[in-house]
PDB file of all heavy atoms in Angstrom:
ATOM      1  N   LEU A   1     263.178 -52.231 -79.940  1.00 97.00           N
ATOM      2  CA  LEU A   1     262.746 -50.840 -80.064  1.00 97.00           C
ATOM      3  C   LEU A   1     261.231 -50.732 -80.152  1.00 97.00           C
ATOM      4  O   LEU A   1     260.611 -49.866 -79.509  1.00 97.00           O
ATOM      5  CB  LEU A   1     263.405 -50.195 -81.294  1.00 97.00           C
ATOM      6  CG  LEU A   1     264.905 -49.924 -81.205  1.00 97.00           C
ATOM      7  CD1 LEU A   1     265.439 -49.449 -82.559  1.00 97.00           C
ATOM      8  CD2 LEU A   1     265.190 -48.870 -80.131  1.00 97.00           C
ATOM      9  N   HIS A   2     260.627 -51.614 -80.948  1.00 97.00           N
ATOM     10  CA  HIS A   2     259.167 -51.554 -81.110  1.00 97.00           C
ATOM     11  C   HIS A   2     258.445 -51.994 -79.835  1.00 97.00           C
ATOM     12  O   HIS A   2     257.410 -51.422 -79.472  1.00 97.00           O
ATOM     13  CB  HIS A   2     258.732 -52.414 -82.295  1.00 97.00           C
ATOM     14  CG  HIS A   2     259.021 -51.773 -83.621  1.00 97.00           C
ATOM     15  ND1 HIS A   2     258.367 -50.642 -84.049  1.00 97.00           N
ATOM     16  CD2 HIS A   2     259.897 -52.107 -84.605  1.00 97.00           C
ATOM     17  CE1 HIS A   2     258.821 -50.297 -85.251  1.00 97.00           C
ATOM     18  NE2 HIS A   2     259.754 -51.170 -85.602  1.00 97.00           N
ATOM     19  N   ILE A   3     258.989 -52.987 -79.143  1.00 97.00           N
ATOM     20  CA  ILE A   3     258.380 -53.403 -77.878  1.00 97.00           C
ATOM     21  C   ILE A   3     258.473 -52.277 -76.854  1.00 97.00           C
ATOM     22  O   ILE A   3     257.504 -51.995 -76.135  1.00 97.00           O
ATOM     23  CB  ILE A   3     259.054 -54.691 -77.351  1.00 97.00           C
ATOM     24  CG1 ILE A   3     258.738 -55.870 -78.272  1.00 97.00           C
ATOM     25  CG2 ILE A   3     258.570 -55.008 -75.929  1.00 97.00           C
ATOM     26  CD1 ILE A   3     259.518 -57.132 -77.966  1.00 97.00           C
ATOM     27  N   SER A   4     259.608 -51.628 -76.795  1.00 97.00           N
ATOM     28  CA  SER A   4     259.773 -50.496 -75.862  1.00 97.00           C
ATOM     29  C   SER A   4     258.795 -49.375 -76.188  1.00 97.00           C
ATOM     30  O   SER A   4     258.218 -48.755 -75.277  1.00 97.00           O
ATOM     31  CB  SER A   4     261.207 -49.969 -75.921  1.00 97.00           C
ATOM     32  OG  SER A   4     262.130 -50.964 -75.498  1.00 97.00           O
ATOM     33  N   ALA A   5     258.578 -49.113 -77.483  1.00 97.00           N
ATOM     34  CA  ALA A   5     257.621 -48.070 -77.881  1.00 97.00           C
ATOM     35  C   ALA A   5     256.210 -48.445 -77.438  1.00 97.00           C
ATOM     36  O   ALA A   5     255.444 -47.595 -76.959  1.00 97.00           O
ATOM     37  CB  ALA A   5     257.670 -47.873 -79.396  1.00 97.00           C
ATOM     38  N   ALA A   6     255.866 -49.729 -77.577  1.00 97.00           N
ATOM     39  CA  ALA A   6     254.542 -50.187 -77.154  1.00 97.00           C
ATOM     40  C   ALA A   6     254.367 -50.040 -75.645  1.00 97.00           C
ATOM     41  O   ALA A   6     253.328 -49.569 -75.165  1.00 97.00           O
ATOM     42  CB  ALA A   6     254.338 -51.638 -77.574  1.00 97.00           C
ATOM     43  N   VAL A   7     255.393 -50.423 -74.888  1.00 97.00           N
ATOM     44  CA  VAL A   7     255.334 -50.316 -73.426  1.00 97.00           C
ATOM     45  C   VAL A   7     255.173 -48.863 -73.003  1.00 97.00           C
ATOM     46  O   VAL A   7     254.367 -48.537 -72.114  1.00 97.00           O
ATOM     47  CB  VAL A   7     256.606 -50.923 -72.801  1.00 97.00           C
ATOM     48  CG1 VAL A   7     256.685 -50.592 -71.304  1.00 97.00           C
ATOM     49  CG2 VAL A   7     256.634 -52.441 -73.000  1.00 97.00           C
ATOM     50  N   THR A   8     255.912 -47.967 -73.641  1.00 97.00           N
ATOM     51  CA  THR A   8     255.853 -46.538 -73.312  1.00 97.00           C
ATOM     52  C   THR A   8     254.448 -45.973 -73.517  1.00 97.00           C
ATOM     53  O   THR A   8     253.999 -45.086 -72.778  1.00 97.00           O
ATOM     54  CB  THR A   8     256.860 -45.752 -74.172  1.00 97.00           C
ATOM     55  OG1 THR A   8     258.176 -46.251 -73.915  1.00 97.00           O
ATOM     56  CG2 THR A   8     256.814 -44.271 -73.857  1.00 97.00           C
ATOM     57  N   LEU A   9     253.747 -46.506 -74.497  1.00 97.00           N
ATOM     58  CA  LEU A   9     252.393 -46.031 -74.773  1.00 97.00           C
ATOM     59  C   LEU A   9     251.357 -46.657 -73.841  1.00 97.00           C
ATOM     60  O   LEU A   9     250.516 -45.965 -73.264  1.00 97.00           O
ATOM     61  CB  LEU A   9     252.021 -46.350 -76.226  1.00 97.00           C
ATOM     62  CG  LEU A   9     252.691 -45.513 -77.315  1.00 97.00           C
ATOM     63  CD1 LEU A   9     252.504 -46.172 -78.681  1.00 97.00           C
ATOM     64  CD2 LEU A   9     252.122 -44.102 -77.330  1.00 97.00           C
ATOM     65  N   VAL A  10     251.408 -47.992 -73.690  1.00 97.00           N
ATOM     66  CA  VAL A  10     250.289 -48.685 -73.058  1.00 97.00           C
ATOM     67  C   VAL A  10     250.356 -48.687 -71.528  1.00 97.00           C
ATOM     68  O   VAL A  10     249.306 -48.614 -70.870  1.00 97.00           O
ATOM     69  CB  VAL A  10     250.170 -50.131 -73.590  1.00 97.00           C
ATOM     70  CG1 VAL A  10     251.275 -51.038 -73.059  1.00 97.00           C
ATOM     71  CG2 VAL A  10     248.800 -50.715 -73.241  1.00 97.00           C
ATOM     72  N   GLU A  11     251.540 -48.745 -70.947  1.00 97.00           N
ATOM     73  CA  GLU A  11     251.599 -48.847 -69.480  1.00 97.00           C
ATOM     74  C   GLU A  11     251.056 -47.598 -68.780  1.00 97.00           C
ATOM     75  O   GLU A  11     250.258 -47.717 -67.841  1.00 97.00           O
ATOM     76  CB  GLU A  11     253.023 -49.172 -69.027  1.00 97.00           C
ATOM     77  CG  GLU A  11     253.385 -50.639 -69.262  1.00 97.00           C
ATOM     78  CD  GLU A  11     254.662 -51.049 -68.561  1.00 97.00           C
ATOM     79  OE1 GLU A  11     255.433 -50.150 -68.126  1.00 97.00           O
ATOM     80  OE2 GLU A  11     254.907 -52.265 -68.455  1.00 97.00           O
ATOM     81  N   PRO A  12     251.437 -46.375 -69.203  1.00 96.00           N
ATOM     82  CA  PRO A  12     250.832 -45.202 -68.547  1.00 96.00           C
ATOM     83  C   PRO A  12     249.319 -45.119 -68.763  1.00 96.00           C
ATOM     84  O   PRO A  12     248.582 -44.700 -67.857  1.00 96.00           O
ATOM     85  CB  PRO A  12     251.548 -44.019 -69.211  1.00 96.00           C
ATOM     86  CG  PRO A  12     252.796 -44.583 -69.788  1.00 96.00           C
ATOM     87  CD  PRO A  12     252.462 -45.984 -70.179  1.00 96.00           C
ATOM     88  N   ALA A  13     248.865 -45.508 -69.945  1.00 96.00           N
ATOM     89  CA  ALA A  13     247.421 -45.486 -70.217  1.00 96.00           C
ATOM     90  C   ALA A  13     246.689 -46.459 -69.295  1.00 96.00           C
ATOM     91  O   ALA A  13     245.619 -46.149 -68.763  1.00 96.00           O
ATOM     92  CB  ALA A  13     247.165 -45.838 -71.684  1.00 96.00           C
ATOM     93  N   TRP A  14     247.285 -47.640 -69.090  1.00 96.00           N
ATOM     94  CA  TRP A  14     246.674 -48.640 -68.206  1.00 96.00           C
ATOM     95  C   TRP A  14     246.667 -48.158 -66.755  1.00 96.00           C
ATOM     96  O   TRP A  14     245.686 -48.357 -66.037  1.00 96.00           O
ATOM     97  CB  TRP A  14     247.428 -49.960 -68.331  1.00 96.00           C
ATOM     98  CG  TRP A  14     247.030 -51.008 -67.336  1.00 96.00           C
ATOM     99  CD1 TRP A  14     247.740 -51.433 -66.253  1.00 96.00           C
ATOM    100  CD2 TRP A  14     245.809 -51.777 -67.324  1.00 96.00           C
ATOM    101  NE1 TRP A  14     247.060 -52.412 -65.571  1.00 96.00           N
ATOM    102  CE2 TRP A  14     245.868 -52.638 -66.207  1.00 96.00           C
ATOM    103  CE3 TRP A  14     244.685 -51.798 -68.138  1.00 96.00           C
ATOM    104  CZ2 TRP A  14     244.835 -53.528 -65.896  1.00 96.00           C
ATOM    105  CZ3 TRP A  14     243.653 -52.689 -67.826  1.00 96.00           C
ATOM    106  CH2 TRP A  14     243.737 -53.535 -66.720  1.00 96.00           C
ATOM    107  N   GLN A  15     247.726 -47.519 -66.336  1.00 94.00           N
ATOM    108  CA  GLN A  15     247.777 -47.002 -64.969  1.00 94.00           C
ATOM    109  C   GLN A  15     246.752 -45.888 -64.751  1.00 94.00           C
ATOM    110  O   GLN A  15     246.158 -45.773 -63.683  1.00 94.00           O
ATOM    111  CB  GLN A  15     249.189 -46.477 -64.653  1.00 94.00           C
ATOM    112  CG  GLN A  15     250.254 -47.554 -64.587  1.00 94.00           C
ATOM    113  CD  GLN A  15     249.971 -48.595 -63.524  1.00 94.00           C
ATOM    114  OE1 GLN A  15     249.476 -48.263 -62.441  1.00 94.00           O
ATOM    115  NE2 GLN A  15     250.287 -49.853 -63.814  1.00 94.00           N
ATOM    116  N   ALA A  16     246.529 -45.099 -65.801  1.00 91.00           N
ATOM    117  CA  ALA A  16     245.575 -43.981 -65.685  1.00 91.00           C
ATOM    118  C   ALA A  16     244.131 -44.454 -65.724  1.00 91.00           C
ATOM    119  O   ALA A  16     243.263 -43.890 -65.054  1.00 91.00           O
ATOM    120  CB  ALA A  16     245.821 -42.971 -66.805  1.00 91.00           C
ATOM    121  N   LYS A  17     243.876 -45.502 -66.489  1.00 86.00           N
ATOM    122  CA  LYS A  17     242.484 -45.957 -66.658  1.00 86.00           C
ATOM    123  C   LYS A  17     242.495 -47.418 -67.097  1.00 86.00           C
ATOM    124  O   LYS A  17     242.954 -47.745 -68.185  1.00 86.00           O
ATOM    125  CB  LYS A  17     241.772 -45.099 -67.717  1.00 86.00           C
ATOM    126  CG  LYS A  17     240.327 -45.484 -67.943  1.00 86.00           C
ATOM    127  CD  LYS A  17     239.756 -44.740 -69.125  1.00 86.00           C
ATOM    128  CE  LYS A  17     240.508 -45.076 -70.395  1.00 86.00           C
ATOM    129  NZ  LYS A  17     239.898 -44.392 -71.561  1.00 86.00           N
ATOM    130  N   GLN A  18     241.978 -48.286 -66.249  1.00 86.00           N
ATOM    131  CA  GLN A  18     241.983 -49.717 -66.547  1.00 86.00           C
ATOM    132  C   GLN A  18     240.645 -50.104 -67.171  1.00 86.00           C
ATOM    133  O   GLN A  18     239.609 -50.039 -66.506  1.00 86.00           O
ATOM    134  CB  GLN A  18     242.262 -50.529 -65.289  1.00 86.00           C
ATOM    135  CG  GLN A  18     243.620 -50.220 -64.686  1.00 86.00           C
ATOM    136  CD  GLN A  18     243.976 -51.091 -63.497  1.00 86.00           C
ATOM    137  OE1 GLN A  18     243.244 -52.013 -63.161  1.00 86.00           O
ATOM    138  NE2 GLN A  18     245.101 -50.810 -62.865  1.00 86.00           N
ATOM    139  N   ASN A  19     240.671 -50.480 -68.431  1.00 87.00           N
ATOM    140  CA  ASN A  19     239.473 -50.965 -69.096  1.00 87.00           C
ATOM    141  C   ASN A  19     239.840 -52.179 -69.951  1.00 87.00           C
ATOM    142  O   ASN A  19     241.014 -52.569 -70.045  1.00 87.00           O
ATOM    143  CB  ASN A  19     238.795 -49.878 -69.933  1.00 87.00           C
ATOM    144  CG  ASN A  19     239.690 -49.347 -71.041  1.00 87.00           C
ATOM    145  OD1 ASN A  19     240.509 -50.062 -71.613  1.00 87.00           O
ATOM    146  ND2 ASN A  19     239.546 -48.068 -71.359  1.00 87.00           N
ATOM    147  N   GLU A  20     238.837 -52.774 -70.583  1.00 88.00           N
ATOM    148  CA  GLU A  20     239.056 -54.044 -71.277  1.00 88.00           C
ATOM    149  C   GLU A  20     239.977 -53.896 -72.483  1.00 88.00           C
ATOM    150  O   GLU A  20     240.828 -54.750 -72.738  1.00 88.00           O
ATOM    151  CB  GLU A  20     237.710 -54.634 -71.695  1.00 88.00           C
ATOM    152  CG  GLU A  20     237.777 -56.099 -72.109  1.00 88.00           C
ATOM    153  CD  GLU A  20     238.218 -57.026 -70.981  1.00 88.00           C
ATOM    154  OE1 GLU A  20     238.146 -56.639 -69.796  1.00 88.00           O
ATOM    155  OE2 GLU A  20     238.653 -58.143 -71.299  1.00 88.00           O
ATOM    156  N   ARG A  21     239.827 -52.838 -73.236  1.00 91.00           N
ATOM    157  CA  ARG A  21     240.657 -52.668 -74.428  1.00 91.00           C
ATOM    158  C   ARG A  21     242.126 -52.500 -74.052  1.00 91.00           C
ATOM    159  O   ARG A  21     243.014 -53.085 -74.682  1.00 91.00           O
ATOM    160  CB  ARG A  21     240.171 -51.459 -75.233  1.00 91.00           C
ATOM    161  CG  ARG A  21     238.751 -51.590 -75.762  1.00 91.00           C
ATOM    162  CD  ARG A  21     238.309 -50.322 -76.452  1.00 91.00           C
ATOM    163  NE  ARG A  21     238.971 -50.165 -77.734  1.00 91.00           N
ATOM    164  CZ  ARG A  21     239.111 -49.005 -78.361  1.00 91.00           C
ATOM    165  NH1 ARG A  21     238.675 -47.890 -77.792  1.00 91.00           N
ATOM    166  NH2 ARG A  21     239.690 -48.939 -79.535  1.00 91.00           N
ATOM    167  N   LEU A  22     242.382 -51.702 -73.023  1.00 95.00           N
ATOM    168  CA  LEU A  22     243.760 -51.518 -72.591  1.00 95.00           C
ATOM    169  C   LEU A  22     244.314 -52.779 -71.933  1.00 95.00           C
ATOM    170  O   LEU A  22     245.511 -53.074 -72.044  1.00 95.00           O
ATOM    171  CB  LEU A  22     243.852 -50.332 -71.638  1.00 95.00           C
ATOM    172  CG  LEU A  22     243.651 -48.960 -72.290  1.00 95.00           C
ATOM    173  CD1 LEU A  22     243.532 -47.865 -71.230  1.00 95.00           C
ATOM    174  CD2 LEU A  22     244.790 -48.635 -73.251  1.00 95.00           C
ATOM    175  N   ARG A  23     243.450 -53.537 -71.258  1.00 95.00           N
ATOM    176  CA  ARG A  23     243.874 -54.807 -70.667  1.00 95.00           C
ATOM    177  C   ARG A  23     244.399 -55.752 -71.749  1.00 95.00           C
ATOM    178  O   ARG A  23     245.473 -56.353 -71.616  1.00 95.00           O
ATOM    179  CB  ARG A  23     242.701 -55.453 -69.930  1.00 95.00           C
ATOM    180  CG  ARG A  23     243.042 -56.805 -69.265  1.00 95.00           C
ATOM    181  CD  ARG A  23     241.780 -57.476 -68.750  1.00 95.00           C
ATOM    182  NE  ARG A  23     241.070 -56.626 -67.814  1.00 95.00           N
ATOM    183  CZ  ARG A  23     241.354 -56.546 -66.517  1.00 95.00           C
ATOM    184  NH1 ARG A  23     242.339 -57.264 -66.018  1.00 95.00           N
ATOM    185  NH2 ARG A  23     240.646 -55.755 -65.738  1.00 95.00           N
ATOM    186  N   LEU A  24     243.641 -55.891 -72.830  1.00 96.00           N
ATOM    187  CA  LEU A  24     244.051 -56.763 -73.931  1.00 96.00           C
ATOM    188  C   LEU A  24     245.351 -56.269 -74.559  1.00 96.00           C
ATOM    189  O   LEU A  24     246.224 -57.070 -74.926  1.00 96.00           O
ATOM    190  CB  LEU A  24     242.943 -56.829 -74.982  1.00 96.00           C
ATOM    191  CG  LEU A  24     241.660 -57.534 -74.544  1.00 96.00           C
ATOM    192  CD1 LEU A  24     240.544 -57.276 -75.555  1.00 96.00           C
ATOM    193  CD2 LEU A  24     241.893 -59.029 -74.401  1.00 96.00           C
ATOM    194  N   CYS A  25     245.469 -54.960 -74.676  1.00 97.00           N
ATOM    195  CA  CYS A  25     246.662 -54.364 -75.279  1.00 97.00           C
ATOM    196  C   CYS A  25     247.893 -54.622 -74.410  1.00 97.00           C
ATOM    197  O   CYS A  25     248.978 -54.967 -74.908  1.00 97.00           O
ATOM    198  CB  CYS A  25     246.421 -52.870 -75.448  1.00 97.00           C
ATOM    199  SG  CYS A  25     247.320 -52.124 -76.799  1.00 97.00           S
ATOM    200  N   LEU A  26     247.754 -54.469 -73.089  1.00 97.00           N
ATOM    201  CA  LEU A  26     248.868 -54.693 -72.175  1.00 97.00           C
ATOM    202  C   LEU A  26     249.250 -56.168 -72.149  1.00 97.00           C
ATOM    203  O   LEU A  26     250.442 -56.512 -72.136  1.00 97.00           O
ATOM    204  CB  LEU A  26     248.489 -54.210 -70.777  1.00 97.00           C
ATOM    205  CG  LEU A  26     249.566 -54.332 -69.702  1.00 97.00           C
ATOM    206  CD1 LEU A  26     250.817 -53.546 -70.087  1.00 97.00           C
ATOM    207  CD2 LEU A  26     249.031 -53.853 -68.349  1.00 97.00           C
ATOM    208  N   ALA A  27     248.246 -57.061 -72.146  1.00 97.00           N
ATOM    209  CA  ALA A  27     248.531 -58.499 -72.136  1.00 97.00           C
ATOM    210  C   ALA A  27     249.284 -58.902 -73.400  1.00 97.00           C
ATOM    211  O   ALA A  27     250.232 -59.707 -73.349  1.00 97.00           O
ATOM    212  CB  ALA A  27     247.239 -59.291 -72.011  1.00 97.00           C
ATOM    213  N   ALA A  28     248.871 -58.353 -74.540  1.00 97.00           N
ATOM    214  CA  ALA A  28     249.569 -58.653 -75.791  1.00 97.00           C
ATOM    215  C   ALA A  28     251.020 -58.181 -75.735  1.00 97.00           C
ATOM    216  O   ALA A  28     251.917 -58.832 -76.282  1.00 97.00           O
ATOM    217  CB  ALA A  28     248.839 -58.005 -76.963  1.00 97.00           C
ATOM    218  N   THR A  29     251.242 -57.059 -75.051  1.00 98.00           N
ATOM    219  CA  THR A  29     252.614 -56.558 -74.900  1.00 98.00           C
ATOM    220  C   THR A  29     253.454 -57.520 -74.063  1.00 98.00           C
ATOM    221  O   THR A  29     254.610 -57.810 -74.396  1.00 98.00           O
ATOM    222  CB  THR A  29     252.595 -55.161 -74.253  1.00 98.00           C
ATOM    223  OG1 THR A  29     251.765 -54.286 -75.032  1.00 98.00           O
ATOM    224  CG2 THR A  29     253.995 -54.569 -74.174  1.00 98.00           C
ATOM    225  N   HIS A  30     252.875 -58.037 -72.970  1.00 98.00           N
ATOM    226  CA  HIS A  30     253.604 -59.004 -72.140  1.00 98.00           C
ATOM    227  C   HIS A  30     253.928 -60.276 -72.937  1.00 98.00           C
ATOM    228  O   HIS A  30     255.036 -60.828 -72.817  1.00 98.00           O
ATOM    229  CB  HIS A  30     252.778 -59.366 -70.904  1.00 98.00           C
ATOM    230  CG  HIS A  30     252.671 -58.262 -69.894  1.00 98.00           C
ATOM    231  ND1 HIS A  30     253.729 -57.444 -69.574  1.00 98.00           N
ATOM    232  CD2 HIS A  30     251.625 -57.849 -69.127  1.00 98.00           C
ATOM    233  CE1 HIS A  30     253.344 -56.567 -68.660  1.00 98.00           C
ATOM    234  NE2 HIS A  30     252.069 -56.790 -68.377  1.00 98.00           N
ATOM    235  N   LEU A  31     252.995 -60.755 -73.717  1.00 97.00           N
ATOM    236  CA  LEU A  31     253.246 -61.952 -74.532  1.00 97.00           C
ATOM    237  C   LEU A  31     254.359 -61.697 -75.539  1.00 97.00           C
ATOM    238  O   LEU A  31     255.189 -62.581 -75.800  1.00 97.00           O
ATOM    239  CB  LEU A  31     251.965 -62.368 -75.250  1.00 97.00           C
ATOM    240  CG  LEU A  31     250.864 -62.973 -74.373  1.00 97.00           C
ATOM    241  CD1 LEU A  31     249.602 -63.214 -75.194  1.00 97.00           C
ATOM    242  CD2 LEU A  31     251.333 -64.275 -73.735  1.00 97.00           C
ATOM    243  N   LEU A  32     254.368 -60.503 -76.092  1.00 97.00           N
ATOM    244  CA  LEU A  32     255.408 -60.166 -77.060  1.00 97.00           C
ATOM    245  C   LEU A  32     256.773 -60.068 -76.373  1.00 97.00           C
ATOM    246  O   LEU A  32     257.799 -60.478 -76.937  1.00 97.00           O
ATOM    247  CB  LEU A  32     255.052 -58.852 -77.745  1.00 97.00           C
ATOM    248  CG  LEU A  32     255.830 -58.485 -79.010  1.00 97.00           C
ATOM    249  CD1 LEU A  32     255.798 -59.607 -80.036  1.00 97.00           C
ATOM    250  CD2 LEU A  32     255.266 -57.215 -79.610  1.00 97.00           C
ATOM    251  N   GLN A  33     256.780 -59.528 -75.165  1.00 97.00           N
ATOM    252  CA  GLN A  33     258.033 -59.497 -74.401  1.00 97.00           C
ATOM    253  C   GLN A  33     258.554 -60.911 -74.157  1.00 97.00           C
ATOM    254  O   GLN A  33     259.764 -61.166 -74.208  1.00 97.00           O
ATOM    255  CB  GLN A  33     257.818 -58.770 -73.069  1.00 97.00           C
ATOM    256  CG  GLN A  33     257.632 -57.264 -73.204  1.00 97.00           C
ATOM    257  CD  GLN A  33     257.238 -56.608 -71.891  1.00 97.00           C
ATOM    258  OE1 GLN A  33     256.406 -57.129 -71.146  1.00 97.00           O
ATOM    259  NE2 GLN A  33     257.826 -55.452 -71.604  1.00 97.00           N
ATOM    260  N   ALA A  34     257.624 -61.852 -73.911  1.00 97.00           N
ATOM    261  CA  ALA A  34     258.021 -63.250 -73.713  1.00 97.00           C
ATOM    262  C   ALA A  34     258.581 -63.843 -75.007  1.00 97.00           C
ATOM    263  O   ALA A  34     259.596 -64.558 -74.989  1.00 97.00           O
ATOM    264  CB  ALA A  34     256.827 -64.063 -73.227  1.00 97.00           C
ATOM    265  N   ASP A  35     257.950 -63.547 -76.145  1.00 96.00           N
ATOM    266  CA  ASP A  35     258.460 -64.034 -77.431  1.00 96.00           C
ATOM    267  C   ASP A  35     259.874 -63.511 -77.686  1.00 96.00           C
ATOM    268  O   ASP A  35     260.754 -64.239 -78.157  1.00 96.00           O
ATOM    269  CB  ASP A  35     257.538 -63.589 -78.571  1.00 96.00           C
ATOM    270  CG  ASP A  35     256.197 -64.301 -78.555  1.00 96.00           C
ATOM    271  OD1 ASP A  35     256.083 -65.336 -77.870  1.00 96.00           O
ATOM    272  OD2 ASP A  35     255.270 -63.812 -79.233  1.00 96.00           O
ATOM    273  N   PHE A  36     260.071 -62.247 -77.375  1.00 97.00           N
ATOM    274  CA  PHE A  36     261.390 -61.641 -77.556  1.00 97.00           C
ATOM    275  C   PHE A  36     262.423 -62.322 -76.650  1.00 97.00           C
ATOM    276  O   PHE A  36     263.559 -62.595 -77.061  1.00 97.00           O
ATOM    277  CB  PHE A  36     261.320 -60.148 -77.248  1.00 97.00           C
ATOM    278  CG  PHE A  36     262.640 -59.445 -77.290  1.00 97.00           C
ATOM    279  CD1 PHE A  36     263.218 -59.069 -78.496  1.00 97.00           C
ATOM    280  CD2 PHE A  36     263.334 -59.159 -76.113  1.00 97.00           C
ATOM    281  CE1 PHE A  36     264.449 -58.424 -78.536  1.00 97.00           C
ATOM    282  CE2 PHE A  36     264.558 -58.518 -76.149  1.00 97.00           C
ATOM    283  CZ  PHE A  36     265.119 -58.144 -77.366  1.00 97.00           C
ATOM    284  N   ALA A  37     262.031 -62.608 -75.402  1.00 97.00           N
ATOM    285  CA  ALA A  37     262.946 -63.250 -74.458  1.00 97.00           C
ATOM    286  C   ALA A  37     263.331 -64.648 -74.932  1.00 97.00           C
ATOM    287  O   ALA A  37     264.493 -65.057 -74.814  1.00 97.00           O
ATOM    288  CB  ALA A  37     262.303 -63.303 -73.077  1.00 97.00           C
ATOM    289  N   VAL A  38     262.351 -65.401 -75.481  1.00 96.00           N
ATOM    290  CA  VAL A  38     262.655 -66.733 -76.017  1.00 96.00           C
ATOM    291  C   VAL A  38     263.662 -66.613 -77.148  1.00 96.00           C
ATOM    292  O   VAL A  38     264.655 -67.360 -77.212  1.00 96.00           O
ATOM    293  CB  VAL A  38     261.369 -67.429 -76.496  1.00 96.00           C
ATOM    294  CG1 VAL A  38     261.707 -68.705 -77.278  1.00 96.00           C
ATOM    295  CG2 VAL A  38     260.461 -67.763 -75.320  1.00 96.00           C
ATOM    296  N   ALA A  39     263.425 -65.667 -78.069  1.00 95.00           N
ATOM    297  CA  ALA A  39     264.351 -65.472 -79.199  1.00 95.00           C
ATOM    298  C   ALA A  39     265.731 -65.060 -78.710  1.00 95.00           C
ATOM    299  O   ALA A  39     266.748 -65.359 -79.351  1.00 95.00           O
ATOM    300  CB  ALA A  39     263.787 -64.424 -80.154  1.00 95.00           C
ATOM    301  N   ASN A  40     265.782 -64.414 -77.538  1.00 94.00           N
ATOM    302  CA  ASN A  40     267.045 -63.938 -76.972  1.00 94.00           C
ATOM    303  C   ASN A  40     267.683 -64.974 -76.044  1.00 94.00           C
ATOM    304  O   ASN A  40     268.737 -64.711 -75.456  1.00 94.00           O
ATOM    305  CB  ASN A  40     266.802 -62.639 -76.199  1.00 94.00           C
ATOM    306  CG  ASN A  40     267.955 -61.665 -76.297  1.00 94.00           C
ATOM    307  OD1 ASN A  40     268.745 -61.707 -77.238  1.00 94.00           O
ATOM    308  ND2 ASN A  40     268.053 -60.789 -75.315  1.00 94.00           N
ATOM    309  N   GLY A  41     266.993 -66.111 -75.869  1.00 94.00           N
ATOM    310  CA  GLY A  41     267.523 -67.178 -75.020  1.00 94.00           C
ATOM    311  C   GLY A  41     267.378 -66.934 -73.536  1.00 94.00           C
ATOM    312  O   GLY A  41     268.041 -67.590 -72.725  1.00 94.00           O
ATOM    313  N   ASP A  42     266.491 -66.030 -73.132  1.00 96.00           N
ATOM    314  CA  ASP A  42     266.306 -65.706 -71.715  1.00 96.00           C
ATOM    315  C   ASP A  42     264.969 -66.287 -71.248  1.00 96.00           C
ATOM    316  O   ASP A  42     263.935 -65.618 -71.272  1.00 96.00           O
ATOM    317  CB  ASP A  42     266.339 -64.189 -71.526  1.00 96.00           C
ATOM    318  CG  ASP A  42     266.322 -63.772 -70.060  1.00 96.00           C
ATOM    319  OD1 ASP A  42     266.065 -64.635 -69.203  1.00 96.00           O
ATOM    320  OD2 ASP A  42     266.556 -62.576 -69.785  1.00 96.00           O
ATOM    321  N   MET A  43     264.987 -67.549 -70.788  1.00 95.00           N
ATOM    322  CA  MET A  43     263.741 -68.221 -70.438  1.00 95.00           C
ATOM    323  C   MET A  43     263.137 -67.678 -69.139  1.00 95.00           C
ATOM    324  O   MET A  43     261.920 -67.733 -68.957  1.00 95.00           O
ATOM    325  CB  MET A  43     263.977 -69.722 -70.311  1.00 95.00           C
ATOM    326  CG  MET A  43     264.452 -70.366 -71.621  1.00 95.00           C
ATOM    327  SD  MET A  43     263.463 -69.846 -73.071  1.00 95.00           S
ATOM    328  CE  MET A  43     261.841 -70.370 -72.584  1.00 95.00           C
ATOM    329  N   ASN A  44     263.943 -67.146 -68.256  1.00 96.00           N
ATOM    330  CA  ASN A  44     263.391 -66.542 -67.036  1.00 96.00           C
ATOM    331  C   ASN A  44     262.526 -65.325 -67.379  1.00 96.00           C
ATOM    332  O   ASN A  44     261.432 -65.147 -66.837  1.00 96.00           O
ATOM    333  CB  ASN A  44     264.514 -66.141 -66.090  1.00 96.00           C
ATOM    334  CG  ASN A  44     265.196 -67.333 -65.451  1.00 96.00           C
ATOM    335  OD1 ASN A  44     264.557 -68.367 -65.246  1.00 96.00           O
ATOM    336  ND2 ASN A  44     266.478 -67.200 -65.144  1.00 96.00           N
TER     337      ASN A  44
END
């Protein structure tokens, strides 16, 4: 739920305006999605 909330906020902002702060925020979201996938056993 929290990852989905983060994606809902950051992806439209990144699409509207790409800057360094949003880049770091989006990258952190992708890393967190990967952590969640590992915990869920989905290595792909």
Side-chain angles (χ1 to χ4, degrees):
L1 289 173
H2 284 292
I3 293 171
S4 297
V7 170
T8 300
L9 287 166
V10 73
E11 284 192 345
W14 172 253
Q15 292 300 322
K17 181 188 61 177
Q18 299 185 5
N19 61 33
E20 194 63 19
R21 297 176 73 202
L22 289 171
R23 180 189 303 276
L24 292 168
C25 208
L26 182 59
T29 304
H30 289 320
L31 289 174
L32 194 53
Q33 288 172 318
D35 290 344
F36 175 79
V38 170
N40 215 24
D42 187 348
M43 298 313 301
N44 289 330

